[in-house]
Amino acid sequence: MMCTTIEQLVERIKAVDKQYDLEKIMKAYNLANDAHEGQMRSSGDPYISHPIAVASILLDFCMDTDTIAAALLHDVVEDTDIPLEDIRKKFGDDVALMVDGVTKIGQVPLNTKEEQQAENIRKILMAMSKDIRVIIIKLADRLHNMRTLDARPAHKQRKTSLETMNFYAPIAHRLGMSDVKEEMEDIAIHYLDPYGCKEIERLMELHKEERDRFIDTIKSRIRERITDIKPEPSIEGRVKSTYSIYKKVYVKNKPFDEIYDIYAVRVIVQSVIECYNVLGVIHDMFRPIPYRFKDYIATPKPNRYQSLHTTVIGREGIPFEVQIRTVEMHNTAQYGVAAHWKYKAGINKNAAGEQRFDWIRQILERQQEADDVELIADAIKTDLAPDDVYVFTPKGDVISLPVDSTVIDFAYAIHTQVGNKMTGAKVGGRMVSFDYKVKTGDIVEIITSNSANAGPNRNWLDIAKTSEAKGKIRSWFKKERREENIERGKMDLEHEFRRNGIIPEADMLSAIAERQRLGSIDDLYAAVGYGGVSLSKIIQRIKEEQLRQQKEQNNSPTKAFENIEENNRRSRRKGIIIEGVDNCLVKFAQCCNPLPGDPIIGFVTRGFGVSIHKLDCINVINNMESEENKERWIKASWAGVDDSTYRATIDIICEDRTAMIADITVAIASNHIPIHEMNAHQLKNGNANIVVTVEVAGMEQLTNIMVKVKKVPGVISVERTGKQ
Ligand code: MN
């Protein structure tokens, strides 16, 4: 039962068989009640009824005191003038973190451009990984908003329903909270396709009495056959959710009459052995439909769902699904991750440390690896897709993959090396093509070759489904086939240039490379070649760059810094002494971009000379001691500072006040330092971020400027970029 008044909530709290700190909960209620005083929901109810309802949903999940308190407070920071600090002082760090997380998730727009959406989803996953209770509260919040969606205007109903369908229901599914997921989907589909739903409901209503009688008969017949199981198993019969039938009729295009599992019977027992016993009895009573039996007890779903599923045909010729599970499995199936609060003291609330939330961590990690935001958006869509297939290795290990995965995905899921060395695949002993889509129950054998020439094919990138496989294929090409990548990238780019009528200039390409944080034009070609940077992104950048250059030519009479970048590289190169080596190829590491005067060290690369890092660069610190690289670090020093200048970029965070830019410009110019470029923008928190590129003679001069800038009133921090 859902409560909307505090009296009802308190009564429920006292009634449940769990210890709650009622004083803390009342304190949270009082603060929320005062804060929301006078606010109304669209329904006309006082606003406080919403946080109370959310708290009561969480009480159903038996969540702890802090979660209930945070639920009562979840809209306080966003909708009233009470600062988070107050909540921290009064209720502690945990409650404050949850309120903050829920507030932040609420502010993330989900129906935005794809690449923005990827970033937004990342923010939500970050909040989840800090404390999984954050998303459990958010799901309860969304569930209540869905239940009360009727009071909202039509366009809001649609927007909220779409968000719920695309994002919150899949998250609930991934967390195993199937009741929440089903209810969300059922409500959402009614707003998204009211006519389609009406039709389904009409069909279901048509034989309601017959059906109810049918389910009752099945239940009692099963009960008669398992009287020896004590305590008596509970047997439930039900019609599946509107949305699950909707999907079959409209998405999979099945005639209503042919849907096998409109009816489902659930048998809940005490032990796993009893599950299999009941299965034997059911298969003895009714004829099982081939290939419809699924053992999710031996092979749980990734969200930990466990049950035996089988579809059988009764005497009446009507097929129905039977689900058999233990009480514990049943609770996990209903409450998912929240079941832990119901039956145990709780779990490690920090999702980053929990194996079961590996997928959150994996999505976040994959995002950091990808070079391109479009690839990230793509990865998230696949990773959040709820359907999985289960495929077996010849040894019987189970690999779970998203629907539509191919043998390539399977190979990479086993091991990166298996994927990279794959030359073919067999399913059930028969050779299949690389684009074969694996199905649940397939036994897949990957054929590999140890030949040095073995390696993935570029078109695998189009065939593979999972971001994991795609990422591994890309990184193979990145590492193994540089020459080929450069050639291919160049070809692809030139083709794309012709198509867009662009005549590229060398300095424009190097500017693009720099903006993509790539060291050279060749690196840019290579990145295009292995698919790390998308062509459309580069074309877009070039168009921007052309525009910018046009403007610059119109505006600035001098082109004083035109060739400075090239001079810069040349003179720095001249100025490096590498111990024991004469006249070798030197390049400056992109990660730390050393300047004359910086303490430096060289690293002997494979085939590209020596790359120079700052001694305190994080890559140096992390790799200095590694066995395989130890030998390759080499002493390097500056040959003595000459009179040429170098370009350095500093990143300034400051208050957003009038004349700030003027003051910073004066601080820099007073040292007679030319400013090459300056960009400023406002930050979300009201501060400003100014990025200045200057021409300096060396480290000493740069340090000087930075000290000066730091003294400008309102400047919060000054940092050199490229420094890690
Ligand atoms: Mn809310």
Side-chain angles (χ1 to χ4, degrees), residues 651-654 688-690 706 709-710 714-719:
D651 196 318
I652 303 160
I653 306 283
C654 55
N689 178 214
I690 301 176
M706 289 172 64
V709 171
K710 207 157 195 174
V715 168
I716 298 160
S717 73
V718 181
E719 265 178 36

Side-chain angles (χ1 to χ4, degrees), residues 166-200:
N166 290 335
F167 186 70
Y168 288 106
I171 289 269
H173 176 81
R174 286 305 293 253
L175 295 175
M177 303 168 77
S178 65
D179 282 9
V180 174
K181 171 201 170 236
E182 268 186 21
E183 191 179 343
M184 280 182 173
E185 287 174 340
D186 261 11
I187 300 174
I189 197 67
H190 278 90
Y191 289 105
L192 293 173
D193 183 1
Y195 300 106
C197 285
K198 260 193 203 121
E199 177 62 10
I200 300 274

Side-chain angles (χ1 to χ4, degrees), residues 97-144:
L97 183 101
M98 283 188 263
V99 171
D100 188 40
V102 175
T103 308
K104 284 195 179 127
I105 294 179
Q107 287 164 343
V108 172
L110 284 166
N111 297 325
T112 48
K113 274 197 313 195
E114 219 158 72
E115 53 181 75
Q116 186 57 42
Q117 177 153 350
E119 176 56 23
N120 290 342
I121 292 175
R122 199 182 64 83
K123 283 185 198 146
I124 294 177
L125 293 168
M126 292 288 282
M128 283 167 68
S129 70
K130 280 190 201 136
D131 189 333
I132 199 72
R133 291 176 295 180
V134 168
I135 193 71
I136 297 177
I137 297 174
K138 186 64 206 174
L139 289 172
D141 174 42
R142 177 50 62 108
L143 184 60
H144 183 245

Side-chain angles (χ1 to χ4, degrees), residues 41 47 50-51 54 71 74-75 79 102 138 141-142 144-145:
R41 302 206 86 210
Y47 195 88
H50 165 65
V54 174
H74 82 269
D75 280 329
D79 295 350
V102 175
K138 186 64 206 174
D141 174 42
R142 177 50 62 108
H144 183 245
N145 285 336

Side-chain angles (χ1 to χ4, degrees), residues 272 275 297 305-307 324-334:
V272 172
C275 290
I297 292 182
Y305 175 87
Q306 285 188 297
S307 268
I324 308 161
R325 52 174 80 146
T326 65
V327 176
E328 205 185 327
M329 292 171 194
H330 184 56
N331 291 323
T332 305
Q334 279 183 294

